[in-house]
Amino acid sequence: MRLSGAPLEVIAGEFAGGAYFLCAEENGRRPVVFASSEGEGGLLADDLADALEIMIGLEWRDCLSFSGGGDVEVMQVSARHLERSRDKYNPDIDDEAAQVAAALSLRIVPVADLVVRLQAAPRRLNRTTS
């Protein structure tokens, strides 16, 4: 992936004022980036399906907040903790996530795999733009 300078297409917003954007097509895929209302953000996934799988299956923003600077092992521990906390306060969340995924023809991906995807996304961007 490289930055092309092409305009971004807003595809969704979130409660705190952030937004999700589709980038220009690259190799048959349209990467998804997120930008918060405070100007933080970055590449979330290589395409919309991957981004939605991350959003459905992972407390991704909190996982990044407790990432130890992008350390995948720290992110894995954080993700497991966040998952336990989420399940405690919403015991039906797994069933709800499965329904959403099925409605969108997406997979339920193991949290550990989602963390690896999330952690790898910025490296793919940095590797191809330097």
Side-chain angles (χ1 to χ4, degrees), residues 44 54 57-83 111-119:
L44 180 59
I54 288 170
L58 181 65
E59 300 289 330
W60 72 271
R61 290 188 69 188
D62 291 334
C63 188
L64 287 174
S65 294
F66 302 107
S67 71
D71 182 314
V72 73
E73 291 177 20
V74 173
M75 292 173 73
Q76 293 289 1
V77 170
S78 295
R80 287 191 299 271
H81 173 73
L82 291 162
E83 186 176 31
V111 168
D113 294 345
L114 294 173
V115 169
V116 169
R117 280 192 206 173
L118 183 64
Q119 191 264 352

Side-chain angles (χ1 to χ4, degrees), residues 9-73:
E9 179 183 344
V10 178
I11 55 171
E14 51 97 41
F15 71 96
Y20 295 88
F21 301 88
L22 278 176
C23 299
E25 186 173 322
E26 175 97 11
N27 298 322
R29 301 177 92 179
R30 294 191 66 192
V32 176
V33 296
F34 174 79
S36 74
S37 60
E38 292 83 31
E40 299 171 323
L43 179 67
L44 180 59
D46 289 335
D47 62 29
L48 185 56
D50 283 353
L52 290 169
E53 287 176 352
I54 288 170
M55 288 185 268
I56 290 169
L58 181 65
E59 300 289 330
W60 72 271
R61 290 188 69 188
D62 291 334
C63 188
L64 287 174
S65 294
F66 302 107
S67 71
D71 182 314
V72 73
E73 291 177 20

